[in-house]
PDB file of all heavy atoms in Angstrom:
ATOM      1  N   VAL A 766      -8.476  11.337  15.658  1.00  0.00           N
ATOM      2  CA  VAL A 766      -8.946  12.532  16.344  1.00  0.00           C
ATOM      3  C   VAL A 766      -8.363  13.797  15.730  1.00  0.00           C
ATOM      4  O   VAL A 766      -9.071  14.750  15.461  1.00  0.00           O
ATOM      5  CB  VAL A 766      -8.614  12.453  17.851  1.00  0.00           C
ATOM      6  CG1 VAL A 766      -8.930  13.771  18.529  1.00  0.00           C
ATOM      7  CG2 VAL A 766      -9.397  11.324  18.485  1.00  0.00           C
ATOM      8  N   THR A 767      -7.073  13.794  15.490  1.00  0.00           N
ATOM      9  CA  THR A 767      -6.480  15.008  14.926  1.00  0.00           C
ATOM     10  C   THR A 767      -7.004  15.245  13.525  1.00  0.00           C
ATOM     11  O   THR A 767      -7.245  16.383  13.123  1.00  0.00           O
ATOM     12  CB  THR A 767      -4.942  14.896  14.861  1.00  0.00           C
ATOM     13  OG1 THR A 767      -4.605  13.725  14.148  1.00  0.00           O
ATOM     14  CG2 THR A 767      -4.336  14.874  16.231  1.00  0.00           C
ATOM     15  N   GLY A 768      -7.230  14.199  12.816  1.00  0.00           N
ATOM     16  CA  GLY A 768      -7.746  14.358  11.462  1.00  0.00           C
ATOM     17  C   GLY A 768      -9.159  14.900  11.452  1.00  0.00           C
ATOM     18  O   GLY A 768      -9.567  15.611  10.546  1.00  0.00           O
ATOM     19  N   THR A 769      -9.917  14.607  12.481  1.00  0.00           N
ATOM     20  CA  THR A 769     -11.320  15.012  12.511  1.00  0.00           C
ATOM     21  C   THR A 769     -11.488  16.415  13.064  1.00  0.00           C
ATOM     22  O   THR A 769     -12.140  17.256  12.467  1.00  0.00           O
ATOM     23  CB  THR A 769     -12.111  14.032  13.403  1.00  0.00           C
ATOM     24  OG1 THR A 769     -11.886  12.740  12.923  1.00  0.00           O
ATOM     25  CG2 THR A 769     -13.569  14.369  13.403  1.00  0.00           C
ATOM     26  N   VAL A 770     -10.917  16.627  14.218  1.00  0.00           N
ATOM     27  CA  VAL A 770     -11.194  17.864  14.934  1.00  0.00           C
ATOM     28  C   VAL A 770     -10.248  18.988  14.524  1.00  0.00           C
ATOM     29  O   VAL A 770     -10.648  20.138  14.421  1.00  0.00           O
ATOM     30  CB  VAL A 770     -11.095  17.622  16.459  1.00  0.00           C
ATOM     31  CG1 VAL A 770     -11.414  18.884  17.222  1.00  0.00           C
ATOM     32  CG2 VAL A 770     -12.024  16.501  16.847  1.00  0.00           C
ATOM     33  N   GLY A 771      -9.039  18.628  14.263  1.00  0.00           N
ATOM     34  CA  GLY A 771      -8.053  19.669  13.989  1.00  0.00           C
ATOM     35  C   GLY A 771      -8.150  20.265  12.606  1.00  0.00           C
ATOM     36  O   GLY A 771      -7.782  21.398  12.395  1.00  0.00           O
ATOM     37  N   ARG A 772      -8.654  19.500  11.667  1.00  0.00           N
ATOM     38  CA  ARG A 772      -8.679  20.000  10.304  1.00  0.00           C
ATOM     39  C   ARG A 772     -10.064  19.820   9.709  1.00  0.00           C
ATOM     40  O   ARG A 772     -10.708  18.804   9.934  1.00  0.00           O
ATOM     41  CB  ARG A 772      -7.663  19.236   9.448  1.00  0.00           C
ATOM     42  CG  ARG A 772      -6.242  19.566   9.804  1.00  0.00           C
ATOM     43  CD  ARG A 772      -5.313  18.695   9.022  1.00  0.00           C
ATOM     44  NE  ARG A 772      -5.508  17.283   9.367  1.00  0.00           N
ATOM     45  CZ  ARG A 772      -4.871  16.300   8.782  1.00  0.00           C
ATOM     46  NH1 ARG A 772      -4.047  16.549   7.813  1.00  0.00           N
ATOM     47  NH2 ARG A 772      -5.073  15.064   9.154  1.00  0.00           N
ATOM     48  N   PRO A 773     -10.533  20.782   8.932  1.00  0.00           N
ATOM     49  CA  PRO A 773     -11.865  20.650   8.360  1.00  0.00           C
ATOM     50  C   PRO A 773     -11.920  19.700   7.180  1.00  0.00           C
ATOM     51  O   PRO A 773     -12.948  19.211   6.825  1.00  0.00           O
ATOM     52  CB  PRO A 773     -12.193  22.068   7.905  1.00  0.00           C
ATOM     53  CG  PRO A 773     -10.866  22.698   7.648  1.00  0.00           C
ATOM     54  CD  PRO A 773      -9.923  22.068   8.613  1.00  0.00           C
ATOM     55  N   GLU A 774     -10.791  19.446   6.549  1.00  0.00           N
ATOM     56  CA  GLU A 774     -10.817  18.607   5.363  1.00  0.00           C
ATOM     57  C   GLU A 774     -10.522  17.156   5.708  1.00  0.00           C
ATOM     58  O   GLU A 774     -10.103  16.843   6.809  1.00  0.00           O
ATOM     59  CB  GLU A 774      -9.790  19.116   4.348  1.00  0.00           C
ATOM     60  CG  GLU A 774     -10.162  20.487   3.823  1.00  0.00           C
ATOM     61  CD  GLU A 774      -9.092  21.046   2.931  1.00  0.00           C
ATOM     62  OE1 GLU A 774      -8.067  20.374   2.729  1.00  0.00           O
ATOM     63  OE2 GLU A 774      -9.280  22.175   2.467  1.00  0.00           O
ATOM     64  N   THR A 775     -10.725  16.308   4.738  1.00  0.00           N
ATOM     65  CA  THR A 775     -10.449  14.885   4.930  1.00  0.00           C
ATOM     66  C   THR A 775      -8.980  14.704   5.289  1.00  0.00           C
ATOM     67  O   THR A 775      -8.114  15.296   4.662  1.00  0.00           O
ATOM     68  CB  THR A 775     -10.728  14.128   3.624  1.00  0.00           C
ATOM     69  OG1 THR A 775     -12.063  14.441   3.237  1.00  0.00           O
ATOM     70  CG2 THR A 775     -10.564  12.636   3.807  1.00  0.00           C
ATOM     71  N   PRO A 776      -8.695  13.889   6.296  1.00  0.00           N
ATOM     72  CA  PRO A 776      -7.300  13.693   6.687  1.00  0.00           C
ATOM     73  C   PRO A 776      -6.467  13.177   5.519  1.00  0.00           C
ATOM     74  O   PRO A 776      -6.921  12.348   4.748  1.00  0.00           O
ATOM     75  CB  PRO A 776      -7.383  12.640   7.794  1.00  0.00           C
ATOM     76  CG  PRO A 776      -8.775  12.674   8.270  1.00  0.00           C
ATOM     77  CD  PRO A 776      -9.608  13.124   7.117  1.00  0.00           C
ATOM     78  N   ALA A 777      -5.258  13.698   5.448  1.00  0.00           N
ATOM     79  CA  ALA A 777      -4.380  13.239   4.381  1.00  0.00           C
ATOM     80  C   ALA A 777      -3.913  11.830   4.663  1.00  0.00           C
ATOM     81  O   ALA A 777      -3.970  11.355   5.789  1.00  0.00           O
ATOM     82  CB  ALA A 777      -3.158  14.160   4.301  1.00  0.00           C
ATOM     83  N   ALA A 778      -3.450  11.163   3.622  1.00  0.00           N
ATOM     84  CA  ALA A 778      -2.971   9.796   3.780  1.00  0.00           C
ATOM     85  C   ALA A 778      -1.743   9.787   4.680  1.00  0.00           C
ATOM     86  O   ALA A 778      -0.931  10.700   4.649  1.00  0.00           O
ATOM     87  CB  ALA A 778      -2.606   9.227   2.421  1.00  0.00           C
TER      88      ALA A 778
END
Side-chain angles (χ1 to χ4, degrees):
Chain A
V766 172
T767 55
T769 305
V770 181
R772 290 175 297 176
E774 294 174 0
T775 306

